[in-house]
Amino acid sequence: SNTAELVCVLYGFIGVYFNQPIAILAIHILLIDLIGEMLPLLMLTFDRGDENIMKEHPRQKGQLLNRSVLLQVLTSGTVRGLLAVTVFNFVFHFHKGEADQHATGVTGTFITIILTQFINIFCIRTKTSVFGSFLFSNPNLLWGMLLSLLAMFTIIYTPFFNLYLHTGPLTVRDWIFPLAASLVYLIGFESIKWHKRKVSVAKKAEPAQLIAV
């Protein structure tokens, strides 16, 4: 889903009327697709099946992309987009007056989208906690993310790419914001999963309680 990028683009459209800077450029959307998504998503094909998959009820016909899944995709993308816009504004503000102020700000935007996409991939792979044994079950995925991160760092800290891709090197302070946004997204996603598991366990327990009565 490109909902996160769409939120950033819409923010730019609206911001024009309030004299606000654009939070993301077309080149950065392309970078997100090529660096942040292509390799990790390809490596997902090496995922083994979740050990709890056979405990799930079979899907009904036409349920591959039902309303609940579609809502989850849109909500997830919207939250990631809002977090990216927030990071952009913080980074942009802290570089006020600098020549590469906007380039550094939009770098914060696309880094936040990439990092939250990594977290999104980890979280949706299993309905159990992301911190379980399934986290390291696909070494190819980890290598894919590592290569993506190396490419991301190269684009951020190489002057040649800074010039032609409109990126700016982030300081240690700048990194606090995308990392904090990623942590917020991780906690939120895992909290929702935990709540769903709790509700599911409660529903499964109801028939047993009725039988006992």
Side-chain angles (χ1 to χ4, degrees), residues 1 22 36 47 61 69 76 81 113 115 123 153 159 166 173 185:
S1 171
I22 297 174
D47 251 5
K61 185 177 180 180
V69 174
S76 169
I113 294 177
L115 293 181
C123 289
F153 276 104
H166 197 68
R173 181 186 61 185
Y185 183 74

Side-chain angles (χ1 to χ4, degrees), residues 47-48 50 52 115-138 141-142 145 182-183 185-194 197:
D47 251 5
R48 63 177 176 82
D50 190 339
N52 296 310
L115 293 181
T116 52
Q117 173 70 330
F118 287 174
I119 292 173
N120 197 51
I121 290 173
F122 278 128
C123 289
I124 64 175
R125 291 170 67 225
T126 176
K127 293 185 177 180
T128 58
S129 172
V130 71
F131 301 107
S133 59
F134 199 65
L135 176 63
F136 301 105
S137 64
N138 185 354
L141 175 61
L142 300 178
M145 288 185 173
S182 301
L183 181 61
Y185 183 74
L186 172 62
I187 293 173
F189 204 124
E190 284 299 299
S191 297
I192 292 173
K193 285 170 59 179
W194 174 82
R197 290 197 301 271

Side-chain angles (χ1 to χ4, degrees), residues 31-141:
L31 289 175
I32 291 168
D33 291 336
L34 292 179
I35 297 175
E37 296 183 351
M38 186 174 68
L39 267 178
L41 292 179
L42 283 174
M43 294 302 108
L44 278 177
T45 59
F46 294 95
D47 251 5
R48 63 177 176 82
D50 190 339
E51 59 186 12
N52 296 310
I53 191 66
M54 296 306 293
K55 298 178 182 179
E56 299 294 327
H57 294 292
R59 288 195 183 105
Q60 297 178 2
K61 185 177 180 180
Q63 207 178 29
L64 182 62
L65 187 63
N66 57 26
R67 183 180 300 177
S68 176
V69 174
L70 185 59
L71 180 62
Q72 178 181 330
V73 170
L74 294 176
T75 302
S76 169
T78 301
V79 170
R80 291 172 55 224
L82 292 175
L83 287 171
V85 167
T86 302
V87 170
F88 166 78
N89 280 288
F90 273 111
V91 175
F92 185 82
H93 170 75
F94 281 113
H95 288 270
K96 186 176 182 180
E98 297 179 10
D100 59 350
Q101 179 184 11
H102 185 257
T104 307
V106 293
T107 300
T109 301
F110 91 82
I111 285 177
T112 303
I113 294 177
I114 289 176
L115 293 181
T116 52
Q117 173 70 330
F118 287 174
I119 292 173
N120 197 51
I121 290 173
F122 278 128
C123 289
I124 64 175
R125 291 170 67 225
T126 176
K127 293 185 177 180
T128 58
S129 172
V130 71
F131 301 107
S133 59
F134 199 65
L135 176 63
F136 301 105
S137 64
N138 185 354
N140 293 305
L141 175 61

Side-chain angles (χ1 to χ4, degrees), residues 19-32:
N19 199 29
Q20 295 296 312
I22 297 174
I24 196 169
L25 301 178
I27 185 63
H28 301 124
I29 296 176
L30 180 61
L31 289 175
I32 291 168

Side-chain angles (χ1 to χ4, degrees), residues 130-170:
V130 71
F131 301 107
S133 59
F134 199 65
L135 176 63
F136 301 105
S137 64
N138 185 354
N140 293 305
L141 175 61
L142 300 178
W143 280 111
M145 288 185 173
L146 178 60
L147 290 174
S148 293
L149 287 173
L150 289 175
M152 185 178 72
F153 276 104
T154 301
I155 289 172
I156 295 171
Y157 294 105
T158 304
F160 174 82
F161 292 119
N162 292 158
L163 178 62
Y164 290 100
L165 298 180
H166 197 68
T167 58
L170 299 186

